[in-house]
Each structure stands twice: as structure tokens, then as C-alpha cells.
């Protein structure tokens, strides 16, 4: 069953479903089975490091089939061609949605992307339990997302340290300064990157001003990522000059029949902007 939501409590519904889903998955695939994955012994790639490489675009290109607010975006895009195309186009890293109920993704999408790409891959999902961290490592992820509006600061610290213990980097997602401050006060040692989500997950409104207002409060040692609502080379250029290093883009690419070509066009526009200076 799939679900399209437009209600303000969408995030609460997603989290409630995710807790139920994790309990079911743990029963079907226990930790010991996940630990047999070939990826547990493989080294991970640093998302923060790749975003800081000057020869790369800083774009985290996302494979995203659908949205809980807008329904299907690109139901039939092939994972292999799309993710390979993203990297050939000049993306610095990949993000793969693995939530099925609300985003139409699956773990196999990430494993397929891992099989064909030598780059950092962020597992994009709603982490509420340590089981999902081991699961992320077992399917080939290099980094995981922890959302400040879903977890308490103490939960973020505990999950973040466990993720790092597995070799995963941690991207903390925040929406405002209050979320940022309360989380960093407790969990600063369990975070590798901070992502400012320009989309309010309660009503899905989007504003790049969220990133521009928060950037001066982001610690220098952490990777800085702008998420959601990025559509043009000018958007990225503005955020880059404000000291952001990573730019997570999904829907802008996935709405095209060939998302990889949309990515390539945006990277080329960025190069032209840079050359014009």
C-alpha cells in the first residue's frame, strides 16, 4: 500500500509507521544476519571529505521515487543508469531514499547504487532505532541521516556514536536554530555534518532563507549541507558563497525523464558561473 499525505502531522505518521516497520524487519532479518553482509568488512567513503574536494561540485544527487506530499515523482527510473549518470555528470555523492511506504524506495536501491558507484552514499530514511544503522552498513551505505525533529538530543548522541562506531558518518538534519542548539549541546561529538532542510516537514513549505540564516551558527569543523528546494545553479552558487559545501538535490533532477541529464546540465551551469568570475 502507498500513501499520499498533505496533513500537518505527516512527520508523526511517518515516524509511527517506521517504528512498526523496524520491529517487523528485525523479526525477519535479525542483527546477526545483517552482520554477515560483505559490506561490514569494506571501508566506507567520507561524505564530508568528498564534499570538500575542490574538483567536485558538492552536489549530493538523490534517487527519490516519490514524495508523501506530491505522490510519484519518477516511479520507473532505473537505479543503475540514474546513479551512474549522476556521478558521470559531476555529482560528489549520492543519496538514496530507502523508505518504501512514503517515498517508494527500498534497501535494494541503495545496494544497487553501491554496486555500480565508487562514491559516498547517504542512506536517506527516518532513523528511529539502532537496528537501522547496522542495516544501513549492511546494504552499503557510507552515511546516515538523523533528524533533529524526530529524535531527542540524547537519542541523536547515542545513535550517532553507534553509527560512527560502524564506520558511518552522521548527517544531522535541522530546520531552525533551536533544533541546532539543543542538539549540538548534547551530541556535538556524534555528528559529522549538519544539513539545513529548507523544507518544513510539517507543512512542506520551502525557503532557502532557512539555510542562509542558519549558516553562521554551524560549527566550522562540521560539513555544511543545504537540503531541499535547490533548483538552479544560482541557488547553489549563493549557498556556496555563504560557505555551504554540500547541496542535496533530488526532486529537481528526478522530475526529468533522465535525472542524470538534468544533473549534468546543472553542473555545467555551475562551471559557467564560476568561469564567468
Amino acid at each position: 500500500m502507498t500513501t499520499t499525505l498533505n496533513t500537518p502531522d505527516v512527520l508523526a505518521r511517518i515516524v509511527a509507521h517506521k517504528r512498526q516497520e523496524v520491529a517487523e524487519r528485525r523479526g525477519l532479518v535479525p542483527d546477526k544476519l545483517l552482520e554477515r553482509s560483505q559490506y561490514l568488512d569494506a571501508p566506507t567513503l567520507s561524505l564530508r571529505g568528498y564534499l570538500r574536494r575542490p574538483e567536485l561540485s558538492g552536489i549530493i544527487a538523490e534517487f527519490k521515487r516519490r514524495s508523501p506530499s506530491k505522490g510519484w515523482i519518477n516511479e520507473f527510473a532505473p537505479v543503475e543508469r540514474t546513479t551512474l549518470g549522476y556521478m558521470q555528470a559531476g555529482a560528489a555523492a549520492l543519496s538514496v531514499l530507502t523508505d518504501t511506504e512514503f517515498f517508494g524506495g527500498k534497501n535494494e536501491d541503495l545496494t544497487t547504487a553501491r554496486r555500480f558507484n565508487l562514491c559516498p552514499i547517504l542512506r536517506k530514511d527516518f532513523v528511529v532505532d539502532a537496528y537501522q544503522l547496522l542495516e544501513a552498513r549492511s546494504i552499503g551505505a557510507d552515511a546516515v541521516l538523523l533528524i533533529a525533529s524526530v529524535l531527542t538530543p540524547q537519542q541523536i548522541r547515542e545513535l550517532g556514536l553507534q553509527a560512527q562506531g560502524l564506520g558511518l558518518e552522521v548527517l544531522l538534519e535541522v530546520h531552525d536554530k533551536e533544533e541546532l542548539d539543543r542538539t549540538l549541546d548534547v551530541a556535538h561529538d556524534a555528528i559529522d555534518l549538519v544539513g539545513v532542510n529548507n523544507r518544513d516537514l510539517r507543512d512542506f513549505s520551502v525557503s532557502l532563507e532557512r539555510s542562509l540564516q542558519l549558516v553562521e551558527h554551524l560549527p566550522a569543523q562540521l560539513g555544511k549541507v543545504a537540503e531541499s528546494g535547490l533548483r538552479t545553479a544560482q541557488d547553489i552558487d549563493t549557498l556556496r558563497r555563504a560557505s555551504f559545501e554540500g547541496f542535496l538535490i533530488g526532486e529537481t533532477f528526478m522530475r526529468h525523464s533522465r535525472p542524470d541529464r538534468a544533473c549534468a546540465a546543472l553542473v555545467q551551469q555551475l562551471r559557467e558561473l564560476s568561469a564567468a568570475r
Side-chain angles (χ1 to χ4, degrees):
M1 183 181 75
T2 57
T3 308
T4 301
L5 299 175
N6 294 290
T7 54
D9 62 345
V10 58
L11 187 57
R13 293 194 184 191
I14 291 173
V15 171
H17 184 273
K18 187 61 60 175
R19 293 188 187 282
Q20 178 183 349
E21 178 186 292
V22 169
E24 293 171 354
R25 291 184 71 86
R26 180 181 275 118
L28 293 170
V29 187
D31 291 28
K32 288 191 178 295
L33 192 56
L34 294 178
E35 290 167 356
R36 297 178 188 173
S37 167
Q38 61 179 321
Y39 297 114
L40 266 292
D41 296 322
T44 52
L45 299 170
S46 172
L47 177 59
R48 179 173 55 182
Y50 269 63
L51 295 181
R52 290 178 172 176
R53 288 173 58 170
E55 76 276 17
L56 298 177
S57 65
I59 291 173
I60 306 171
E62 188 161 85
F63 188 84
K64 176 181 180 180
R65 298 183 189 277
R66 74 186 303 270
S67 159
S69 62
K70 298 179 181 179
W72 289 105
I73 298 169
N74 195 330
E75 185 175 359
F76 302 110
V79 179
E80 177 185 347
R81 186 182 73 184
T82 302
T83 58
L84 265 173
Y86 277 158
M87 298 315 299
Q88 291 168 351
L94 297 170
S95 170
V96 179
L97 265 297
T98 57
D99 175 83
T100 301
E101 180 74 7
F102 299 94
F103 290 88
K106 52 189 176 182
N107 287 347
E108 290 79 9
D109 290 342
L110 195 149
T111 301
T112 299
R114 172 80 293 150
R115 190 178 305 123
F116 291 100
N117 294 278
L118 184 61
C119 67
I121 302 180
L122 170 70
R123 185 198 189 185
K124 190 85 171 290
D125 211 315
F126 293 80
V127 174
V128 295
D129 190 282
Y131 175 83
Q132 294 165 279
L133 306 175
L134 180 60
E135 187 178 51
R137 188 74 165 93
S138 76
I139 62 176
D142 301 285
V144 291
L145 180 73
L146 298 181
I147 304 175
S149 56
V150 167
L151 303 162
T152 68
Q154 187 58 39
Q155 287 172 328
I156 289 171
R157 184 169 191 274
E158 291 172 0
L159 290 168
L161 291 175
Q162 289 179 71
Q164 291 172 342
L166 289 167
L168 298 164
E169 287 189 342
V170 176
L171 172 62
L172 171 71
E173 178 176 295
V174 300
H175 296 83
D176 54 43
K177 189 172 184 296
E178 191 274 330
E179 285 184 355
L180 177 69
D181 289 345
R182 75 166 186 250
T183 304
L184 291 183
D185 283 347
V186 175
H188 59 89
D189 57 341
I191 297 163
D192 301 288
L193 309 99
V194 176
V196 180
N197 193 338
N198 297 303
R199 176 175 287 113
D200 188 327
L201 291 180
R202 294 165 296 187
D203 61 15
F204 291 98
S205 62
V206 177
S207 173
L208 294 185
E209 285 303 312
R210 289 180 181 272
S211 288
L212 296 173
Q213 290 170 3
L214 267 184
V215 66
E216 64 185 82
H217 303 289
L218 303 181
Q221 74 274 17
L222 299 179
K224 302 176 183 66
V225 179
E227 305 173 16
S228 300
L230 283 67
R231 297 183 176 86
T232 68
Q234 188 60 57
D235 289 340
I236 296 173
D237 187 62
T238 298
L239 291 163
R240 181 180 283 155
R241 286 188 284 120
S243 83
F244 278 95
E245 301 157 314
F247 315 95
L248 196 152
I249 304 175
E251 189 173 321
T252 295
F253 297 152
M254 294 297 295
R255 286 212 171 274
H256 290 257
S257 60
R258 287 293 301 269
D260 53 314
R261 292 180 181 174
C263 180
L266 185 58
V267 171
Q268 180 59 32
Q269 290 163 14
L270 277 172
R271 289 172 179 157
E272 291 170 359
L273 266 180
S274 179
R277 287 203 175 88

